[in-house]
Amino acid sequence: MSKAISIIIPTYNEGGNIVPLVGRINKAMSAYDYEILFVDDDSKDDTAANVEKLSKTYPVRIVVRKNERGLASAVVHGILNTTGQKVLVMDADLQHPPEVIPSLVKALEDGADIVVASRYVEGGGCQEWGLFRKLVSRVSTIIAHVFLPPTRSVNDPMSGFFMFDRKVVENAKLQPRGYKILLEILMEGEFKKAVEVPYTFVTRDQGESKLNIKQQLEYIRHIYSLMRRKGELWRFIKFCLVGASGIGVNFGIFALLTRVGGMKETDFLALAIATEVAIITNFILNDIFTFRDRRSSGHFLTRLLKFNVICVAGALVQAGVYALLYHAIGIHDLVSYLIGIIIATLWNYLLNTWITWR
Ligand code: GDD
Ligand code: MN
């Protein structure tokens, strides 16, 4: 008979963690009907032997993949080789405390489709993380939130500790790469309600992390792959093209007002009118071209007003970045200006996809 909860744990050289991990899961899960499937990529240590030993006492088993490597693909392999209606994914190295699992189960029973154990909600966090790793994690999260809007349903889409109802992935074509399997499920899965439960990412005691530079680059390629598959790449390109057209409009109106309209080139009003017209044409183009599928997110005029406010703020952001880089730090003026434009574009994209066209 199928177990109610399938716990999938990818492993690579986690020999020293298996026994304490299974013990703690079993204690935390004593009230539930569960199984554990380890998906191992041919570890060079005693990972498999330890699982085999425990399988006499606990509902645990292991599949060993000989020709494949990768955390995310191992999890997909696990999903395909289990049948529990509820699926839980976690790491083997005890950085994800098993004692948190019951609260994930509870949230799922309360009606969520996906429950993420999160470092980035009230009560969550990371134990002893250096500034650098914290920064990398935050920036990675922001990249996902900016370019893959559906991931905004959770604060910690990078978490490797989560649970979901199997129906979420029933029709999903999962094509993960690298480490971030939750990203793939949030983008390709079907769900209504995603919730987060806080937890603290504990420092590793046994073994070592397999996360390296190659995995970080793989992450960028994964984001790119998801953007392509989901039409978000094309959307971002359209947004940039519309922005570029706005520069032409802005320039043209300014020239018209000062050469034909009789306004002075020093007149702030000429600059303000030209900018405002460009904002409005940008809005109209984006509305029918870039965000055609999201026009139901409010009245036309409300969307226009939101877009307008965000873009004016974006211009201030650009000026602020320029002031900081050029005046305060002393970076080359054109480089500072270009960075200002890039940051303002990302600002406009993030806020407009967040607020104007939800
Ligand atoms: N099967 C398999 N194949 N398992 C792997 C592989 C692999 O190639 N690489 C790593 N694992 C297993 C490890 O054995 C461990 O159980 C788990 O995946 C996490 O690997 P770590 O190397 O310890 O990752 P981390 O601690 O740096 O990062 C983890 O936590 C982050 C925060 O929640 C991962 O879960 C990240 O995805 C997550 O963002
Ligand atoms: Mn780890």
Side-chain angles (χ1 to χ4, degrees), residues 10-12 14 39-41 69-71 74 91-93 95-96 119 133 158-160 179-180 199 201 204 208-211:
T11 51
Y12 189 70
E14 301 289 357
V39 184
D40 187 69
D41 286 353
R69 264 301 302 269
L71 199 171
D91 293 348
D93 55 6
Q95 297 198 271
H96 297 157
R119 292 162 291 175
R133 178 128 197 219
M158 308 303 196
S159 178
Y179 255 53
K180 307 304 174 187
Y199 89 101
F201 188 75
R204 204 189 236 275
E208 57 190 37
S209 171
K210 284 95 203 170
L211 187 65

Side-chain angles (χ1 to χ4, degrees), residues 9 11 14-23 38 46-48 50-51 54 92:
I9 307 180
T11 51
E14 301 289 357
N17 289 314
I18 302 295
V19 172
L21 174 71
V22 171
F38 288 93
D46 54 356
T47 302
N50 286 344
V51 176
L54 290 174

Side-chain angles (χ1 to χ4, degrees), residues 15-52:
N17 289 314
I18 302 295
V19 172
L21 174 71
V22 171
R24 280 171 63 182
I25 294 178
N26 192 61
K27 200 163 168 218
M29 297 297 283
S30 55
Y32 296 96
D33 174 40
Y34 77 96
E35 63 172 344
I36 303 176
L37 176 65
F38 288 93
V39 184
D40 187 69
D41 286 353
D42 211 9
S43 292
K44 301 292 165 255
D45 66 359
D46 54 356
T47 302
N50 286 344
V51 176
E52 293 299 350

